Amino acid sequence: MHRVIPQASDDRHVRYEAMPDDALERALATLREGGHRVTGARRAVIETLAELDGHPGAEDLCERIRQRYPAVHRATVYRTLETLAAIGVVTHVHISGGATAYHLASEAGARPHLHASCRTCGSIMDLPDGMLDSVSRDLLEAHGFELDPRHVALSGTCKDCRGAG
Amino acid sequence: MHRVIPQASDDRHVRYEAMPDDALERALATLREGGHRVTGARRAVIETLAELDGHPGAEDLCERIRQRYPAVHRATVYRTLETLAAIGVVTHVHISGGATAYHLASEAGARPHLHASCRTCGSIMDLPDGMLDSVSRDLLEAHGFELDPRHVALSGTCKDCRGAG
DNA sequence: TTATGTGCAAACTGTTTGCGCGAAG
DNA sequence: CTTCGCGCAAACAGTTTGCACATAA
């Protein structure tokens, strides 16, 4: 695969707000620094990640990628996400009863944070990073357990669903 | 080949360890009260649940059940667990990257509690139920989100694995 | 008798893996 | 030219579902 990327000028549902190219180039640099190769598939994954809002799962990414780069295979997306996670370019959070959600670590406004997912509607909300600090401390002191609060989303019912229910 | 291990074939009350009959009968009563039928498969699931220590997943249960009641199908185990959960006879916790864990709600020493699972070794530990109370309060006040702290296990690294790592 | 539960096979979601080819370096 | 990454198919774990038959009430 070569750098023949149909950077659509006719994009109807693609918004380039925060200019992903910047994030893209930084990600590619990190990839090179780690001794990894820069490939079309990897560009595609990073670019798509930069473009998608919310908390897309791997399958969401696959679907979106397929629209522009039909040659990029699902398995490659998974492998790429794994690689990118390993070098810190993307972060992921496991959602109870759903797909793992990914986003670029360097995304604008994406400093470290926690997640909570709604059991009813599946929506995911971001939470302040320090929210579980005291629990973490407790857990470590009392049980020797080192909590990784960013690794899994908390579960419950969101505002809207509480209202509706 | 007889009785290397005490077996229950058509004998309903073979019990080599103490007591699950009590929990079993209570569970069956709840089942009846809810207008559900008492069946062999349901007995098998409850009995096995009472017997297994730790935090077995549905597949663990299936395997154990198959040893004694080979006719009970995996799908039935899942459906039974769903039913029992609905009427409050069993509780379940979703484990990140693993199987949902079940246990009898009425089990000895099984008052409500939280769980944490080790990302490295997969072990599951019980935690005091109130551990996330202040976080719950925060979440509700600040974000309108109603946390269900028993629904998902916290994730991190257990004492042993921290030592080893 | 009759609704409810069951066994079975098959689908399903999310993810991983072995294989040989092709392309990045 | 030598790896590393790729596409592909297939396997995988955990769980759910449609169907026809069995059975508890």
Side-chain angles (χ1 to χ4, degrees):
Chain A
M1 204 186 278
H2 209 295
R3 178 102 213 219
V4 193
I5 296 178
Q7 283 277 24
S9 48
D10 67 307
D11 50 85
R12 282 164 294 148
H13 36 246
V14 178
R15 56 219 162 289
Y16 294 112
E17 328 172 338
M19 211 44 335
D21 283 343
D22 195 42
L24 175 61
E25 287 311 324
R26 253 179 302 149
L28 297 182
T30 310
L31 220 31
R32 285 192 196 93
E33 281 158 28
H36 299 95
R37 293 180 182 175
V38 171
T39 68
R42 285 173 178 176
R43 277 177 202 276
V45 170
I46 297 163
E47 185 189 302
T48 305
L49 225 23
E51 216 167 277
L52 282 175
D53 294 328
H55 295 86
E59 280 320 305
D60 298 321
L61 277 166
C62 288
E63 197 183 327
R64 182 58 170 263
I65 286 170
R66 196 166 47 237
Q67 294 170 20
R68 291 189 167 193
Y69 312 99
V72 175
H73 196 269
R74 217 171 49 253
T76 302
V77 173
Y78 278 95
R79 281 190 278 228
T80 299
L81 287 171
E82 197 186 3
T83 302
L84 295 177
I87 60 174
V89 167
V90 313
T91 60
H92 61 272
V93 65
H94 298 284
I95 311 296
S96 162
T100 301
Y102 294 86
H103 57 56
L104 284 178
S106 59
E107 227 163 23
R111 54 201 113 273
H113 58 275
L114 310 182
H115 297 89
S117 72
C118 177
R119 220 174 148 167
T120 304
C121 70
S123 67
I124 300 172
M125 70 185 301
D126 293 352
L127 300 172
D129 198 46
M131 201 143 203
L132 290 178
D133 282 358
S134 70
V135 174
S136 294
R137 229 174 296 119
D138 260 35
L139 228 36
L140 191 56
E141 277 165 30
H143 302 94
F145 186 93
E146 185 169 26
L147 184 63
D148 183 358
R150 307 214 262 263
H151 188 234
V152 191
L154 296 172
S155 180
T157 312
C158 74
K159 202 175 190 170
D160 293 349
C161 290
R162 266 198 326 129
Chain B
M1 168 181 142
H2 278 108
R3 300 262 157 177
V4 175
I5 293 171
Q7 300 269 339
S9 41
D10 51 2
D11 184 350
R12 277 195 262 83
H13 50 270
V14 175
R15 252 320 83 259
Y16 42 92
E17 283 168 30
M19 71 126 222
D21 282 345
D22 196 41
L24 176 61
E25 287 311 322
R26 254 179 300 149
L28 297 182
T30 310
L31 219 31
R32 285 191 195 94
E33 281 158 27
H36 298 96
R37 294 180 180 175
V38 170
T39 66
R42 285 173 178 175
R43 278 179 201 275
V45 170
I46 297 163
E47 186 189 302
T48 305
L49 225 23
E51 217 168 275
L52 282 175
D53 295 329
H55 296 85
E59 278 323 302
D60 299 320
L61 277 166
C62 288
E63 197 185 326
R64 181 60 170 263
I65 286 171
R66 196 168 47 239
Q67 294 169 19
R68 293 189 165 192
Y69 310 99
V72 175
H73 195 269
R74 217 170 50 250
T76 302
V77 173
Y78 278 95
R79 282 189 278 226
T80 298
L81 288 171
E82 196 186 4
T83 302
L84 294 177
I87 62 174
V89 167
V90 314
T91 59
H92 61 271
V93 201
H94 298 285
I95 310 296
S96 162
T100 300
Y102 295 87
H103 58 55
L104 284 178
S106 59
E107 228 162 23
R111 54 202 116 275
H113 58 274
L114 310 182
H115 296 89
S117 72
C118 176
R119 218 175 151 167
T120 304
C121 70
S123 67
I124 300 173
M125 70 184 302
D126 293 352
L127 301 172
D129 197 47
M131 200 142 205
L132 290 178
D133 282 359
S134 70
V135 175
S136 294
R137 228 174 295 121
D138 258 35
L139 228 36
L140 192 56
E141 277 165 30
H143 302 94
F145 187 93
E146 184 169 28
L147 184 63
D148 183 358
R150 309 214 262 263
H151 188 235
V152 191
L154 297 173
S155 180
T157 312
C158 74
K159 200 175 191 168
D160 293 350
C161 290
R162 266 199 325 130

